Amino acid sequence: MNDHLRSAAEAWLSEDPDPDTRAELRALLDSGDTAELADRFAGTLEFGTAGLRGAVAAGPNRMNRVVVIRAAAGLAAYLKANGRTDGPVLIGYDARHKSDVFAQDTAAVMRGAGLDAVLLDRPTPTPVIAFGIRHLQAVAGVVVTASHNPPQDNGYKVYLGDGSQIVPPADAEIAAAIAAVGPPAEVPRGEDWQTTGDDLLNAYLDRIAELVPADAPRELNVAYTPLHGVGRTLVEDAVARAGFAVPAVVASQADPDPDFPTISFPNPEEPGAIDAALELARSVDADIAVANDPDADRCAVAVPDASAEGGWRMLRGDELGGLLGEFLLSSQPDGVAACSIVSSSLLGKIAASYGVRYVETLTGFKWIGRVPDLVFGYEEALGYCVDPVAVKDKDGVSTLVRVLQLAARAKSEGRTLLDLLDDLAVKYGLHATDQLSVRVEDLSLIQTAMNGLRSTPPTSLGSHTVERVDDLSEGTETLPPTDGLRYTLSEGARVVVRPSGTEPKLKCYLEVVVPVTGTDVASARRRAGEDLTGIKHALSTALGI
């Protein structure tokens, strides 16, 4: 081990206030694990538009108390420099490892900087903080969460006073302020922050209850899983206040557990993640199964389907986005519908049919949530904003209640969500989407693949010719630059390729549009499946990873 690496680790030990990470780092030094130490001290965990996210461990390239204290101090400096001091900073946290400690450190640093701080008194879903920022007229909000990342991770998500996640240039300005923070021991800290709990949660729940009209049908049998996250209590209360029967809950996943012991990856999109919920749904003869991710800002929905293995299937994010879009926009609200560039083009057609304005944004609710006059927004990764007046972010709790409202109405008419999907296909054409996702250990492979696509763009993908290529890194008239490529294909198909912003993945989003002859949706689905398979195979070959 070289002297520079050892001295950096020893210096970190001297300033780390956490006995757990100090002991862990000391063990690495004593064992001479040079490779692990080199990775932890290779750089600093980067603060960006997703805030911070990484494994909980010692070192500047990990999530720990030193990194969080410096991040909080940088955020406080940014708020003061920009005159954002006339309200509190609202701080929430999930049930992951160290979340409560990181949240308390943040509150202490805010008070030390002379800012008011309000700390949630329990682990809480992320959308409660997005709601609470405007409800409490806060100047900013912090949520300690890694959402659906693996168990070893934690994160630090920042909102400003409008209730939206940060975007450039605020992220770079906060990052610069963090870089200017000195040793943690020199960061002033206070202890007299405020706490909130029932009052804020009740205000949030009351708002959700108002979404469902008094005369709306409510007969529905529901199975639910919070995936070991923090959603259960709030979801049960929200469902009950909205007038629905409390759902049956997967017992093995009901309580928060940062180790997520029953699932390999705590993301409802991942294969197998909602298997226990589907098993429960079958056993209780449920009409619908719903799931939240660990911080309950996403919502997954599964429905009975006789043609699917096991008799149930999960709706794709774009399918639910289309259903909610038709449901919410059919009242012709005065405002704007929005979704990300990697989501289905269907929402734009739904909006046009009802005379509602429509915009596309970059990926992420940091962009969708700040669309002016938003009335409904979604992205295909199971994120939905169904009440943007209250929550300018994705919200898995209010979405879940809206889904129950839609499903109960369909049931009262002797129909199902699958029937409603067929209605959309007949009305707008079948919009079928799929995803090719490549997880890598070596991040350089992602950039190599992107460079290859830019230098040698494909002229066809599957049975579709490539009619246009947009290099999104150059920006467009309506979109700021981002690392991505968009292929417009023949017959209304399209592909978007981009590196993930939160995980070591290259993500490819596929869509085909197939006209429906009469009411023969089944034939259109078969053709769409064949088209998507062909595009996916050709794209996989073009990527070379």
Side-chain angles (χ1 to χ4, degrees), residues 104-127:
Q104 290 166 16
D105 280 337
T106 300
V109 170
M110 294 301 161
R111 291 301 298 133
L115 296 168
D116 291 333
V118 177
L119 177 66
L120 267 293
D121 65 1
R122 70 201 75 174
T124 308
T126 292

Side-chain angles (χ1 to χ4, degrees), residues 64-65 70 126 147 158 176 213 230 241 251 316 320 330 375 398 437 455 488:
N64 49 66
R65 292 186 66 190
R70 298 185 75 245
T126 292
S147 190
V158 176
V230 297
R241 290 193 192 198
R316 300 192 66 84
L320 186 57
S330 60
V375 292
S398 59
S437 182
S455 62
T488 301

Side-chain angles (χ1 to χ4, degrees), residues 96 147 149-151 226-229 257-266 294:
R96 285 177 178 264
S147 190
N149 271 40
L227 289 182
H228 298 293
D257 189 326
D259 294 319
F260 305 102
T262 69
I263 45 180
S264 58
F265 204 94

Side-chain angles (χ1 to χ4, degrees), residues 431-444:
H431 291 63
T433 58
D434 201 355
Q435 188 177 132
L436 173 64
S437 182
V438 184
R439 184 179 291 272
V440 299
E441 295 292 333
D442 181 358
L443 287 176
S444 69

Side-chain angles (χ1 to χ4, degrees), residues 469-488:
V469 181
D470 295 312
D471 189 341
L472 300 176
S473 66
E474 300 171 358
T476 71
E477 291 183 0
T478 58
L479 298 171
T482 188
D483 188 9
L485 293 163
R486 178 169 55 188
Y487 300 93
T488 301

Side-chain angles (χ1 to χ4, degrees), residues 496-517:
V496 177
V497 182
R498 59 176 282 270
S500 170
T502 57
E503 298 177 85
K505 284 182 176 180
L506 184 64
K507 304 182 83 169
C508 310
Y509 306 84
L510 291 55
E511 180 176 34
V512 297
V513 182
V514 179
V516 175
T517 302

Side-chain angles (χ1 to χ4, degrees), residues 392-408:
K392 296 176 68 173
D393 198 4
K394 56 184 177 291
D395 183 348
V397 183
S398 59
T399 297
L400 188 151
V401 170
R402 279 294 201 192
V403 168
L404 299 193
Q405 180 189 356
L406 177 58

